[in-house]
Amino acid sequence: MKALSIKQPWAWLICKGWKDIENRDWKLPAGMYGQRIYIHAGRSRDELNAATMKWIYARLTEAQGHELVAARLSYGAIIGEAT
Protein backbone atom coordinates (compact mmCIF):
# COMPACT_ATOMS: atom_id res chain seq x y z
CA MET A 1 0.00 0.00 0.00
CA LYS A 2 1.21 3.54 -0.78
CA ALA A 3 1.78 6.21 1.89
CA LEU A 4 1.62 9.99 1.88
CA SER A 5 3.74 12.03 4.31
CA ILE A 6 1.94 15.03 5.75
CA LYS A 7 3.04 17.46 8.45
CA GLN A 8 1.27 17.51 11.78
CA PRO A 9 -1.36 18.55 12.75
CA TRP A 10 -2.70 18.19 9.21
CA ALA A 11 -2.07 14.44 9.09
CA TRP A 12 -4.03 13.95 12.31
CA LEU A 13 -6.89 16.12 11.05
CA ILE A 14 -7.09 14.11 7.81
CA CYS A 15 -7.17 10.81 9.70
CA LYS A 16 -9.97 12.12 11.91
CA GLY A 17 -11.96 13.19 8.83
CA TRP A 18 -11.88 16.86 9.81
CA LYS A 19 -9.61 17.96 6.96
CA ASP A 20 -11.06 16.49 3.80
CA ILE A 21 -8.55 17.76 1.22
CA GLU A 22 -4.78 17.76 0.85
CA ASN A 23 -3.24 20.29 -1.52
CA ARG A 24 -0.07 19.29 -3.36
CA ASP A 25 1.92 20.86 -6.18
CA TRP A 26 1.98 17.54 -8.05
CA LYS A 27 -0.80 15.42 -9.50
CA LEU A 28 -1.69 12.07 -8.04
CA PRO A 29 -1.05 9.25 -10.52
CA ALA A 30 -4.32 8.33 -12.25
CA GLY A 31 -4.28 4.78 -10.88
CA MET A 32 -4.26 6.05 -7.28
CA TYR A 33 -7.61 7.90 -7.32
CA GLY A 34 -10.06 6.19 -5.00
CA GLN A 35 -7.39 3.87 -3.53
CA ARG A 36 -6.63 3.50 0.18
CA ILE A 37 -3.31 5.03 1.27
CA TYR A 38 -1.49 5.22 4.58
CA ILE A 39 -1.14 8.63 6.21
CA HIS A 40 2.39 9.18 7.51
CA ALA A 41 2.92 11.99 10.02
CA GLY A 42 6.19 13.68 9.11
CA ARG A 43 8.94 14.21 11.67
CA SER A 44 9.16 17.99 11.32
CA ARG A 45 7.62 20.09 14.05
CA ASP A 46 6.89 23.40 12.37
CA GLU A 47 5.61 26.17 14.58
CA LEU A 48 2.09 27.11 13.59
CA ASN A 49 1.03 30.72 13.64
CA ALA A 50 -1.80 31.85 15.91
CA ALA A 51 -4.32 32.16 13.07
CA THR A 52 -3.72 28.58 11.98
CA MET A 53 -4.11 27.23 15.51
CA LYS A 54 -7.31 29.27 15.93
CA TRP A 55 -8.70 27.72 12.73
CA ILE A 56 -7.79 24.20 13.90
CA TYR A 57 -9.37 24.73 17.31
CA ALA A 58 -12.55 26.16 15.76
CA ARG A 59 -12.80 23.23 13.35
CA LEU A 60 -12.40 20.67 16.15
CA THR A 61 -14.87 22.46 18.38
CA GLU A 62 -17.48 22.52 15.60
CA ALA A 63 -16.90 18.87 14.73
CA GLN A 64 -16.90 17.17 18.11
CA GLY A 65 -15.78 19.52 20.85
CA HIS A 66 -12.28 18.03 21.04
CA GLU A 67 -9.24 20.07 21.86
CA LEU A 68 -6.02 19.52 19.94
CA VAL A 69 -3.10 18.82 22.26
CA ALA A 70 0.12 19.21 20.25
CA ALA A 71 2.17 17.21 22.74
CA ARG A 72 0.05 14.11 22.01
CA LEU A 73 0.54 14.15 18.23
CA SER A 74 2.67 11.36 16.75
CA TYR A 75 5.58 12.25 14.49
CA GLY A 76 7.53 10.07 12.05
CA ALA A 77 4.93 7.30 12.02
CA ILE A 78 1.99 5.88 10.09
CA ILE A 79 -1.04 7.21 11.96
CA GLY A 80 -3.94 6.12 9.78
CA GLU A 81 -5.27 5.60 6.31
CA ALA A 82 -7.56 7.41 3.92
CA THR A 83 -9.05 7.22 0.42
Side-chain angles (χ1 to χ4, degrees):
M1 184 180 283
K2 303 282 185 181
L4 182 62
S5 290
I6 303 170
K7 291 180 181 179
Q8 287 286 32
W10 313 116
W12 183 79
L13 290 167
I14 289 170
C15 288
K16 290 293 188 181
W18 295 331
K19 182 177 187 286
D20 54 3
I21 61 168
E22 172 62 10
N23 298 315
R24 296 272 162 172
D25 60 0
W26 48 269
K27 284 186 140 187
L28 185 68
M32 291 299 300
Y33 284 100
Q35 300 296 312
R36 303 288 295 170
I37 61 169
Y38 288 123
I39 303 297
H40 174 264
R43 286 184 176 226
S44 67
R45 295 175 185 248
D46 292 343
E47 293 297 322
L48 298 176
N49 65 39
T52 302
M53 287 305 293
K54 185 176 180 179
W55 178 88
I56 292 169
Y57 183 78
R59 180 84 186 248
L60 293 175
T61 301
E62 290 170 11
Q64 304 236 352
H66 294 291
E67 183 175 342
L68 176 66
V69 180
R72 300 183 78 195
L73 294 176
S74 296
Y75 294 86
I78 300 292
I79 63 168
E81 53 184 82
T83 301

Short mmCIF file of all heavy atoms in Angstrom, two decimals, residues 5-71:
data_model
loop_
_atom_site.label_atom_id
_atom_site.label_comp_id
_atom_site.label_asym_id
_atom_site.label_seq_id
_atom_site.Cartn_x
_atom_site.Cartn_y
_atom_site.Cartn_z
N SER A 5 3.24 11.32 3.13
CA SER A 5 3.74 12.03 4.31
C SER A 5 3.13 13.42 4.37
O SER A 5 3.15 14.15 3.39
CB SER A 5 5.26 12.15 4.25
OG SER A 5 5.87 10.91 4.44
N ILE A 6 2.60 13.75 5.54
CA ILE A 6 1.94 15.03 5.75
C ILE A 6 2.38 15.56 7.10
O ILE A 6 2.50 14.80 8.07
CB ILE A 6 0.40 14.86 5.74
CG1 ILE A 6 -0.05 14.21 4.42
CG2 ILE A 6 -0.30 16.19 5.95
CD1 ILE A 6 -1.48 13.77 4.40
N LYS A 7 2.63 16.85 7.18
CA LYS A 7 3.04 17.46 8.45
C LYS A 7 1.88 17.45 9.45
O LYS A 7 0.71 17.53 9.07
CB LYS A 7 3.49 18.91 8.23
CG LYS A 7 4.78 19.03 7.47
CD LYS A 7 5.16 20.49 7.30
CE LYS A 7 6.45 20.62 6.50
NZ LYS A 7 6.81 22.02 6.32
N GLN A 8 2.25 17.37 10.71
CA GLN A 8 1.27 17.51 11.78
C GLN A 8 0.95 18.98 11.98
O GLN A 8 1.79 19.82 11.73
CB GLN A 8 1.82 16.93 13.10
CG GLN A 8 1.87 15.44 13.12
CD GLN A 8 0.50 14.80 13.26
OE1 GLN A 8 -0.52 15.30 12.79
NE2 GLN A 8 0.47 13.65 13.89
N PRO A 9 -0.23 19.38 12.35
CA PRO A 9 -1.36 18.55 12.75
C PRO A 9 -2.26 18.13 11.59
O PRO A 9 -3.29 17.50 11.78
CB PRO A 9 -2.12 19.46 13.70
CG PRO A 9 -1.94 20.81 13.10
CD PRO A 9 -0.50 20.80 12.58
N TRP A 10 -1.85 18.48 10.37
CA TRP A 10 -2.70 18.19 9.21
C TRP A 10 -2.93 16.71 9.02
O TRP A 10 -4.04 16.27 8.68
CB TRP A 10 -2.12 18.84 7.96
CG TRP A 10 -1.72 20.25 8.19
CD1 TRP A 10 -0.44 20.77 8.15
CD2 TRP A 10 -2.56 21.35 8.58
NE1 TRP A 10 -0.45 22.09 8.47
CE2 TRP A 10 -1.74 22.48 8.74
CE3 TRP A 10 -3.92 21.47 8.81
CZ2 TRP A 10 -2.25 23.72 9.10
CZ3 TRP A 10 -4.42 22.70 9.19
CH2 TRP A 10 -3.59 23.80 9.33
N ALA A 11 -1.91 15.88 9.24
CA ALA A 11 -2.07 14.44 9.09
C ALA A 11 -3.13 13.91 10.05
O ALA A 11 -3.99 13.11 9.68
CB ALA A 11 -0.72 13.74 9.33
N TRP A 12 -3.07 14.37 11.29
CA TRP A 12 -4.03 13.95 12.31
C TRP A 12 -5.44 14.38 11.93
O TRP A 12 -6.39 13.60 12.06
CB TRP A 12 -3.61 14.54 13.65
CG TRP A 12 -4.46 14.12 14.81
CD1 TRP A 12 -4.40 12.92 15.47
CD2 TRP A 12 -5.49 14.88 15.42
NE1 TRP A 12 -5.34 12.91 16.48
CE2 TRP A 12 -6.01 14.10 16.46
CE3 TRP A 12 -6.01 16.15 15.21
CZ2 TRP A 12 -7.04 14.55 17.29
CZ3 TRP A 12 -7.04 16.59 16.03
CH2 TRP A 12 -7.54 15.79 17.06
N LEU A 13 -5.58 15.62 11.45
CA LEU A 13 -6.89 16.12 11.05
C LEU A 13 -7.47 15.32 9.88
O LEU A 13 -8.67 15.05 9.84
CB LEU A 13 -6.81 17.60 10.69
CG LEU A 13 -6.57 18.55 11.87
CD1 LEU A 13 -6.19 19.93 11.37
CD2 LEU A 13 -7.79 18.61 12.77
N ILE A 14 -6.62 14.93 8.94
CA ILE A 14 -7.09 14.11 7.81
C ILE A 14 -7.56 12.75 8.30
O ILE A 14 -8.63 12.27 7.91
CB ILE A 14 -5.99 13.97 6.74
CG1 ILE A 14 -5.79 15.31 6.02
CG2 ILE A 14 -6.32 12.87 5.75
CD1 ILE A 14 -4.58 15.37 5.12
N CYS A 15 -6.79 12.13 9.18
CA CYS A 15 -7.17 10.81 9.70
C CYS A 15 -8.49 10.86 10.47
O CYS A 15 -9.26 9.90 10.45
CB CYS A 15 -6.07 10.25 10.59
SG CYS A 15 -4.62 9.73 9.67
N LYS A 16 -8.73 11.96 11.16
CA LYS A 16 -9.97 12.12 11.91
C LYS A 16 -11.16 12.48 11.01
O LYS A 16 -12.30 12.49 11.45
CB LYS A 16 -9.82 13.20 12.98
CG LYS A 16 -8.92 12.81 14.11
CD LYS A 16 -9.53 11.70 14.91
CE LYS A 16 -8.74 11.43 16.16
NZ LYS A 16 -9.32 10.34 16.93
N GLY A 17 -10.88 12.81 9.74
CA GLY A 17 -11.96 13.19 8.83
C GLY A 17 -12.35 14.65 8.91
O GLY A 17 -13.35 15.07 8.34
N TRP A 18 -11.56 15.45 9.63
CA TRP A 18 -11.88 16.86 9.81
C TRP A 18 -11.19 17.76 8.79
O TRP A 18 -11.52 18.93 8.69
CB TRP A 18 -11.54 17.31 11.22
CG TRP A 18 -12.38 16.61 12.24
CD1 TRP A 18 -13.65 16.13 12.07
CD2 TRP A 18 -12.01 16.27 13.58
NE1 TRP A 18 -14.09 15.52 13.21
CE2 TRP A 18 -13.11 15.60 14.16
CE3 TRP A 18 -10.87 16.47 14.33
CZ2 TRP A 18 -13.10 15.13 15.46
CZ3 TRP A 18 -10.87 16.01 15.63
CH2 TRP A 18 -11.97 15.36 16.18
N LYS A 19 -10.23 17.23 8.08
CA LYS A 19 -9.61 17.96 6.96
C LYS A 19 -9.78 17.04 5.77
O LYS A 19 -9.15 15.99 5.68
CB LYS A 19 -8.12 18.25 7.23
CG LYS A 19 -7.46 19.05 6.11
CD LYS A 19 -6.01 19.37 6.46
CE LYS A 19 -5.37 20.30 5.47
NZ LYS A 19 -5.05 19.67 4.20
N ASP A 20 -10.67 17.42 4.87
CA ASP A 20 -11.06 16.49 3.80
C ASP A 20 -10.33 16.70 2.48
O ASP A 20 -10.66 16.04 1.50
CB ASP A 20 -12.57 16.53 3.59
CG ASP A 20 -13.09 17.92 3.34
OD1 ASP A 20 -12.29 18.87 3.26
OD2 ASP A 20 -14.32 18.06 3.21
N ILE A 21 -9.35 17.59 2.44
CA ILE A 21 -8.55 17.76 1.22
C ILE A 21 -7.08 17.89 1.61
O ILE A 21 -6.75 18.25 2.73
CB ILE A 21 -8.97 19.01 0.40
CG1 ILE A 21 -8.78 20.28 1.23
CG2 ILE A 21 -10.38 18.89 -0.11
CD1 ILE A 21 -8.89 21.55 0.42
N GLU A 22 -6.23 17.57 0.67
CA GLU A 22 -4.78 17.76 0.85
C GLU A 22 -4.27 18.39 -0.44
O GLU A 22 -4.43 17.80 -1.51
CB GLU A 22 -4.09 16.43 1.14
CG GLU A 22 -2.58 16.50 1.16
CD GLU A 22 -2.00 17.40 2.24
OE1 GLU A 22 -2.72 17.87 3.13
OE2 GLU A 22 -0.79 17.66 2.18
N ASN A 23 -3.73 19.57 -0.34
CA ASN A 23 -3.24 20.29 -1.52
C ASN A 23 -1.77 19.97 -1.75
O ASN A 23 -0.96 20.06 -0.83
CB ASN A 23 -3.40 21.80 -1.33
CG ASN A 23 -4.86 22.16 -1.17
OD1 ASN A 23 -5.71 21.69 -1.90
ND2 ASN A 23 -5.14 23.01 -0.20
N ARG A 24 -1.44 19.61 -2.97
CA ARG A 24 -0.07 19.29 -3.36
C ARG A 24 0.25 20.03 -4.63
O ARG A 24 -0.65 20.39 -5.39
CB ARG A 24 0.07 17.77 -3.63
CG ARG A 24 -0.17 16.90 -2.44
CD ARG A 24 1.11 16.73 -1.71
NE ARG A 24 0.87 16.26 -0.34
CZ ARG A 24 1.81 15.90 0.45
NH1 ARG A 24 3.05 15.93 0.06
NH2 ARG A 24 1.56 15.51 1.67
N ASP A 25 1.54 20.21 -4.94
CA ASP A 25 1.92 20.86 -6.18
C ASP A 25 2.20 19.84 -7.28
O ASP A 25 2.70 20.16 -8.33
CB ASP A 25 3.11 21.80 -5.98
CG ASP A 25 4.35 21.08 -5.47
OD1 ASP A 25 4.29 19.85 -5.26
OD2 ASP A 25 5.36 21.76 -5.28
N TRP A 26 1.84 18.57 -7.03
CA TRP A 26 1.98 17.54 -8.05
C TRP A 26 0.69 16.74 -8.12
O TRP A 26 -0.06 16.67 -7.17
CB TRP A 26 3.16 16.62 -7.75
CG TRP A 26 3.24 16.10 -6.34
CD1 TRP A 26 3.90 16.69 -5.30
CD2 TRP A 26 2.62 14.93 -5.81
NE1 TRP A 26 3.74 15.94 -4.16
CE2 TRP A 26 2.95 14.85 -4.44
CE3 TRP A 26 1.81 13.93 -6.33
CZ2 TRP A 26 2.52 13.83 -3.61
CZ3 TRP A 26 1.38 12.90 -5.51
CH2 TRP A 26 1.74 12.87 -4.16
N LYS A 27 0.43 16.19 -9.29
CA LYS A 27 -0.80 15.42 -9.50
C LYS A 27 -0.62 13.98 -9.01
O LYS A 27 0.43 13.38 -9.19
CB LYS A 27 -1.17 15.39 -10.98
CG LYS A 27 -1.77 16.66 -11.48
CD LYS A 27 -2.24 16.46 -12.90
CE LYS A 27 -3.56 17.17 -13.06
NZ LYS A 27 -4.17 16.91 -14.34
N LEU A 28 -1.66 13.46 -8.43
CA LEU A 28 -1.69 12.07 -8.04
C LEU A 28 -1.74 11.21 -9.29
O LEU A 28 -2.49 11.52 -10.22
CB LEU A 28 -2.94 11.82 -7.18
CG LEU A 28 -3.11 10.45 -6.56
CD1 LEU A 28 -2.05 10.23 -5.49
CD2 LEU A 28 -4.49 10.32 -5.94
N PRO A 29 -0.96 10.13 -9.36
CA PRO A 29 -1.05 9.25 -10.52
C PRO A 29 -2.48 8.74 -10.70
O PRO A 29 -3.17 8.42 -9.73
CB PRO A 29 -0.10 8.09 -10.17
CG PRO A 29 0.86 8.68 -9.20
CD PRO A 29 0.07 9.70 -8.41
N ALA A 30 -2.93 8.68 -11.94
CA ALA A 30 -4.32 8.33 -12.25
C ALA A 30 -4.78 7.04 -11.59
O ALA A 30 -5.93 6.94 -11.14
CB ALA A 30 -4.51 8.24 -13.76
N GLY A 31 -3.91 6.05 -11.48
CA GLY A 31 -4.28 4.78 -10.88
C GLY A 31 -4.49 4.83 -9.37
O GLY A 31 -4.99 3.88 -8.79
N MET A 32 -4.14 5.94 -8.74
CA MET A 32 -4.26 6.05 -7.28
C MET A 32 -5.60 6.65 -6.83
O MET A 32 -5.95 6.52 -5.66
CB MET A 32 -3.13 6.90 -6.72
CG MET A 32 -1.76 6.23 -6.80
SD MET A 32 -1.67 4.68 -5.89
CE MET A 32 -2.05 5.22 -4.24
N TYR A 33 -6.33 7.30 -7.72
CA TYR A 33 -7.61 7.90 -7.32
C TYR A 33 -8.55 6.84 -6.77
O TYR A 33 -8.73 5.78 -7.36
CB TYR A 33 -8.26 8.63 -8.50
CG TYR A 33 -7.61 9.94 -8.82
CD1 TYR A 33 -6.70 10.05 -9.85
CD2 TYR A 33 -7.89 11.07 -8.05
CE1 TYR A 33 -6.09 11.26 -10.13
CE2 TYR A 33 -7.28 12.28 -8.32
CZ TYR A 33 -6.38 12.36 -9.36
OH TYR A 33 -5.77 13.55 -9.63
N GLY A 34 -9.12 7.11 -5.62
CA GLY A 34 -10.06 6.19 -5.00
C GLY A 34 -9.42 5.03 -4.25
O GLY A 34 -10.11 4.21 -3.68
N GLN A 35 -8.10 4.95 -4.22
CA GLN A 35 -7.39 3.87 -3.53
C GLN A 35 -7.10 4.26 -2.08
O GLN A 35 -6.94 5.42 -1.76
CB GLN A 35 -6.06 3.57 -4.24
CG GLN A 35 -6.22 3.14 -5.67
CD GLN A 35 -6.98 1.84 -5.81
OE1 GLN A 35 -6.68 0.88 -5.12
NE2 GLN A 35 -7.95 1.81 -6.70
N ARG A 36 -7.00 3.27 -1.21
CA ARG A 36 -6.63 3.50 0.18
C ARG A 36 -5.13 3.75 0.25
O ARG A 36 -4.35 3.08 -0.42
CB ARG A 36 -6.97 2.30 1.06
CG ARG A 36 -8.42 1.87 1.06
CD ARG A 36 -9.34 2.77 1.78
NE ARG A 36 -9.09 2.84 3.20
CZ ARG A 36 -9.68 3.73 3.99
NH1 ARG A 36 -10.53 4.59 3.50
NH2 ARG A 36 -9.43 3.76 5.26
N ILE A 37 -4.73 4.74 1.05
CA ILE A 37 -3.31 5.03 1.27
C ILE A 37 -3.09 5.22 2.77
O ILE A 37 -4.00 5.58 3.50
CB ILE A 37 -2.84 6.30 0.52
CG1 ILE A 37 -3.62 7.53 0.98
CG2 ILE A 37 -2.92 6.12 -0.98
CD1 ILE A 37 -3.05 8.83 0.50
N TYR A 38 -1.86 4.94 3.20
CA TYR A 38 -1.49 5.22 4.58
C TYR A 38 -1.19 6.70 4.71
O TYR A 38 -0.67 7.33 3.81
CB TYR A 38 -0.24 4.44 4.99
CG TYR A 38 -0.46 2.96 5.17
CD1 TYR A 38 0.28 2.04 4.45
CD2 TYR A 38 -1.41 2.48 6.07
CE1 TYR A 38 0.10 0.67 4.62
CE2 TYR A 38 -1.60 1.12 6.24
CZ TYR A 38 -0.85 0.23 5.51
OH TYR A 38 -1.04 -1.11 5.67
N ILE A 39 -1.50 7.25 5.88
CA ILE A 39 -1.14 8.63 6.21
C ILE A 39 0.04 8.57 7.17
O ILE A 39 -0.04 7.99 8.25
CB ILE A 39 -2.32 9.38 6.87
CG1 ILE A 39 -3.55 9.37 5.96
CG2 ILE A 39 -1.90 10.80 7.24
CD1 ILE A 39 -3.36 10.07 4.64
N HIS A 40 1.16 9.14 6.72
CA HIS A 40 2.39 9.18 7.51
C HIS A 40 2.55 10.58 8.07
O HIS A 40 2.54 11.56 7.32
CB HIS A 40 3.58 8.82 6.62
CG HIS A 40 4.89 8.98 7.30
ND1 HIS A 40 5.66 10.12 7.16
CD2 HIS A 40 5.57 8.15 8.12
CE1 HIS A 40 6.77 9.97 7.87
NE2 HIS A 40 6.74 8.79 8.45
N ALA A 41 2.67 10.70 9.38
CA ALA A 41 2.92 11.99 10.02
C ALA A 41 4.41 12.26 9.93
O ALA A 41 5.22 11.49 10.46
CB ALA A 41 2.46 11.97 11.47
N GLY A 42 4.78 13.33 9.25
CA GLY A 42 6.19 13.68 9.11
C GLY A 42 6.86 13.97 10.44
O GLY A 42 6.19 14.21 11.45
N ARG A 43 8.18 13.97 10.43
CA ARG A 43 8.94 14.21 11.67
C ARG A 43 9.07 15.69 12.03
O ARG A 43 9.32 16.02 13.17
CB ARG A 43 10.34 13.62 11.54
CG ARG A 43 10.36 12.14 11.62
CD ARG A 43 11.77 11.64 11.58
NE ARG A 43 11.76 10.21 11.76
CZ ARG A 43 12.57 9.56 12.58
NH1 ARG A 43 13.48 10.22 13.24
NH2 ARG A 43 12.49 8.27 12.69
N SER A 44 8.93 16.56 11.03
CA SER A 44 9.16 17.99 11.32
C SER A 44 8.09 18.54 12.24
O SER A 44 6.93 18.15 12.19
CB SER A 44 9.22 18.79 10.01
OG SER A 44 7.96 18.80 9.39
N ARG A 45 8.52 19.46 13.08
CA ARG A 45 7.62 20.09 14.05
C ARG A 45 7.60 21.59 13.81
O ARG A 45 8.15 22.35 14.59
CB ARG A 45 8.07 19.77 15.47
CG ARG A 45 7.99 18.31 15.80
CD ARG A 45 8.57 18.04 17.17
NE ARG A 45 8.59 16.62 17.42
CZ ARG A 45 7.83 16.01 18.32
NH1 ARG A 45 7.01 16.72 19.07
NH2 ARG A 45 7.90 14.72 18.49
N ASP A 46 6.99 21.98 12.71
CA ASP A 46 6.89 23.40 12.37
C ASP A 46 6.03 24.13 13.38
O ASP A 46 5.02 23.61 13.85
CB ASP A 46 6.30 23.60 10.98
CG ASP A 46 7.23 23.12 9.89
OD1 ASP A 46 8.43 22.94 10.16
OD2 ASP A 46 6.76 22.93 8.77
N GLU A 47 6.43 25.33 13.71
CA GLU A 47 5.61 26.17 14.58
C GLU A 47 4.45 26.71 13.75
O GLU A 47 4.63 27.19 12.63
CB GLU A 47 6.44 27.34 15.12
CG GLU A 47 7.53 26.91 16.07
CD GLU A 47 7.00 26.25 17.33
OE1 GLU A 47 5.96 26.70 17.84
OE2 GLU A 47 7.63 25.28 17.78
N LEU A 48 3.27 26.60 14.28
CA LEU A 48 2.09 27.11 13.59
C LEU A 48 1.78 28.50 14.10
O LEU A 48 1.88 28.77 15.30
CB LEU A 48 0.89 26.19 13.82
CG LEU A 48 1.04 24.77 13.30
CD1 LEU A 48 -0.18 23.94 13.68
CD2 LEU A 48 1.22 24.76 11.80
N ASN A 49 1.36 29.37 13.20
CA ASN A 49 1.03 30.72 13.64
C ASN A 49 -0.32 30.71 14.37
O ASN A 49 -1.09 29.76 14.30
CB ASN A 49 1.05 31.71 12.48
CG ASN A 49 0.00 31.42 11.44
OD1 ASN A 49 -1.12 31.04 11.75
ND2 ASN A 49 0.35 31.61 10.18
N ALA A 50 -0.61 31.77 15.08
CA ALA A 50 -1.80 31.85 15.91
C ALA A 50 -3.08 31.70 15.10
O ALA A 50 -4.03 31.05 15.55
CB ALA A 50 -1.81 33.18 16.66
N ALA A 51 -3.12 32.26 13.90
CA ALA A 51 -4.32 32.16 13.07
C ALA A 51 -4.60 30.71 12.67
O ALA A 51 -5.75 30.27 12.66
CB ALA A 51 -4.18 33.04 11.83
N THR A 52 -3.55 29.99 12.36
CA THR A 52 -3.72 28.58 11.98
C THR A 52 -4.24 27.76 13.16
O THR A 52 -5.16 26.96 13.02
CB THR A 52 -2.39 27.99 11.47
OG1 THR A 52 -1.95 28.76 10.36
CG2 THR A 52 -2.55 26.54 11.06
N MET A 53 -3.65 27.96 14.33
CA MET A 53 -4.11 27.23 15.51
C MET A 53 -5.55 27.59 15.86
O MET A 53 -6.33 26.73 16.27
CB MET A 53 -3.19 27.48 16.69
CG MET A 53 -1.84 26.79 16.57
SD MET A 53 -1.95 25.00 16.30
CE MET A 53 -2.64 24.46 17.85
N LYS A 54 -5.94 28.85 15.66
CA LYS A 54 -7.31 29.27 15.93
C LYS A 54 -8.26 28.54 14.98
O LYS A 54 -9.32 28.08 15.40
CB LYS A 54 -7.43 30.79 15.76
CG LYS A 54 -8.78 31.33 16.13
CD LYS A 54 -8.79 32.84 16.04
CE LYS A 54 -10.16 33.38 16.40
NZ LYS A 54 -10.20 34.85 16.35
N TRP A 55 -7.87 28.43 13.71
CA TRP A 55 -8.70 27.72 12.73
C TRP A 55 -8.84 26.26 13.12
O TRP A 55 -9.94 25.69 13.08
CB TRP A 55 -8.08 27.82 11.33
CG TRP A 55 -8.86 27.08 10.30
CD1 TRP A 55 -9.90 27.57 9.57
CD2 TRP A 55 -8.68 25.72 9.89
NE1 TRP A 55 -10.38 26.59 8.74
CE2 TRP A 55 -9.65 25.45 8.91
CE3 TRP A 55 -7.79 24.71 10.26
CZ2 TRP A 55 -9.75 24.21 8.30
CZ3 TRP A 55 -7.90 23.47 9.65
CH2 TRP A 55 -8.86 23.24 8.69
N ILE A 56 -7.74 25.61 13.51
CA ILE A 56 -7.79 24.20 13.90
C ILE A 56 -8.71 24.02 15.10
O ILE A 56 -9.57 23.14 15.12
CB ILE A 56 -6.37 23.68 14.23
CG1 ILE A 56 -5.53 23.62 12.95
CG2 ILE A 56 -6.43 22.31 14.90
CD1 ILE A 56 -4.07 23.37 13.20
N TYR A 57 -8.55 24.85 16.11
CA TYR A 57 -9.37 24.73 17.31
C TYR A 57 -10.85 24.93 16.98
O TYR A 57 -11.70 24.17 17.45
CB TYR A 57 -8.93 25.73 18.37
CG TYR A 57 -9.70 25.59 19.65
CD1 TYR A 57 -9.41 24.56 20.53
CD2 TYR A 57 -10.74 26.45 19.96
CE1 TYR A 57 -10.13 24.39 21.70
CE2 TYR A 57 -11.47 26.30 21.13
CZ TYR A 57 -11.16 25.27 21.99
OH TYR A 57 -11.88 25.10 23.14
N ALA A 58 -11.16 25.91 16.14
CA ALA A 58 -12.55 26.16 15.76
C ALA A 58 -13.12 24.96 15.02
O ALA A 58 -14.26 24.55 15.25
CB ALA A 58 -12.65 27.41 14.90
N ARG A 59 -12.34 24.38 14.12
CA ARG A 59 -12.80 23.23 13.35
C ARG A 59 -13.08 22.04 14.27
O ARG A 59 -14.08 21.35 14.13
CB ARG A 59 -11.74 22.86 12.31
CG ARG A 59 -12.05 21.69 11.44
CD ARG A 59 -12.93 22.10 10.26
NE ARG A 59 -13.34 20.94 9.51
CZ ARG A 59 -12.94 20.65 8.28
NH1 ARG A 59 -12.12 21.45 7.65
NH2 ARG A 59 -13.38 19.58 7.68
N LEU A 60 -12.20 21.78 15.22
CA LEU A 60 -12.40 20.67 16.15
C LEU A 60 -13.59 20.91 17.05
O LEU A 60 -14.35 20.00 17.34
CB LEU A 60 -11.15 20.45 16.98
CG LEU A 60 -9.91 19.95 16.23
CD1 LEU A 60 -8.72 19.89 17.16
CD2 LEU A 60 -10.17 18.61 15.60
N THR A 61 -13.75 22.13 17.50
CA THR A 61 -14.87 22.46 18.38
C THR A 61 -16.19 22.26 17.65
O THR A 61 -17.13 21.69 18.19
CB THR A 61 -14.75 23.91 18.89
OG1 THR A 61 -13.50 24.02 19.59
CG2 THR A 61 -15.87 24.26 19.82
N GLU A 62 -16.26 22.70 16.40
CA GLU A 62 -17.48 22.52 15.60
C GLU A 62 -17.76 21.05 15.38
O GLU A 62 -18.90 20.60 15.44
CB GLU A 62 -17.32 23.19 14.23
CG GLU A 62 -17.31 24.69 14.27
CD GLU A 62 -16.91 25.28 12.92
OE1 GLU A 62 -16.84 24.53 11.92
OE2 GLU A 62 -16.67 26.49 12.87
N ALA A 63 -16.72 20.27 15.10
CA ALA A 63 -16.90 18.87 14.73
C ALA A 63 -17.33 18.00 15.91
O ALA A 63 -18.28 17.25 15.82
CB ALA A 63 -15.62 18.32 14.11
N GLN A 64 -16.61 18.08 17.02
CA GLN A 64 -16.90 17.17 18.11
C GLN A 64 -16.57 17.73 19.48
O GLN A 64 -16.66 17.01 20.46
CB GLN A 64 -16.13 15.87 17.92
CG GLN A 64 -16.41 15.23 16.60
CD GLN A 64 -16.90 13.81 16.75
OE1 GLN A 64 -16.89 13.26 17.82
NE2 GLN A 64 -17.33 13.24 15.66
N GLY A 65 -16.11 18.95 19.56
CA GLY A 65 -15.78 19.52 20.85
C GLY A 65 -14.44 19.06 21.41
O GLY A 65 -14.18 19.23 22.59
N HIS A 66 -13.59 18.47 20.57
CA HIS A 66 -12.28 18.03 21.04
C HIS A 66 -11.28 19.17 20.99
O HIS A 66 -11.38 20.06 20.18
CB HIS A 66 -11.76 16.88 20.17
CG HIS A 66 -12.57 15.64 20.29
ND1 HIS A 66 -12.59 14.87 21.43
CD2 HIS A 66 -13.41 15.05 19.43
CE1 HIS A 66 -13.38 13.86 21.24
NE2 HIS A 66 -13.90 13.94 20.04
N GLU A 67 -10.31 19.09 21.86
CA GLU A 67 -9.24 20.07 21.86
C GLU A 67 -7.96 19.39 21.37
O GLU A 67 -7.64 18.29 21.79
CB GLU A 67 -9.03 20.60 23.28
CG GLU A 67 -7.98 21.68 23.36
CD GLU A 67 -7.88 22.27 24.75
OE1 GLU A 67 -8.81 22.09 25.54
OE2 GLU A 67 -6.85 22.89 25.02
N LEU A 68 -7.26 20.06 20.47
CA LEU A 68 -6.02 19.52 19.94
C LEU A 68 -4.90 19.76 20.95
O LEU A 68 -4.67 20.89 21.38
CB LEU A 68 -5.67 20.21 18.62
CG LEU A 68 -4.35 19.82 17.98
CD1 LEU A 68 -4.38 18.36 17.56
CD2 LEU A 68 -4.07 20.69 16.78
N VAL A 69 -4.22 18.71 21.33
CA VAL A 69 -3.10 18.82 22.26
C VAL A 69 -1.84 18.44 21.48
O VAL A 69 -1.61 17.27 21.21
CB VAL A 69 -3.29 17.91 23.50
CG1 VAL A 69 -2.10 18.03 24.44
CG2 VAL A 69 -4.59 18.23 24.19
N ALA A 70 -1.04 19.43 21.11
CA ALA A 70 0.12 19.21 20.25
C ALA A 70 1.09 18.18 20.83
O ALA A 70 1.69 17.42 20.09
CB ALA A 70 0.84 20.53 20.00
N ALA A 71 1.22 18.13 22.13
CA ALA A 71 2.17 17.21 22.74
C ALA A 71 1.78 15.75 22.51
O ALA A 71 2.60 14.86 22.62
CB ALA A 71 2.27 17.49 24.23
#
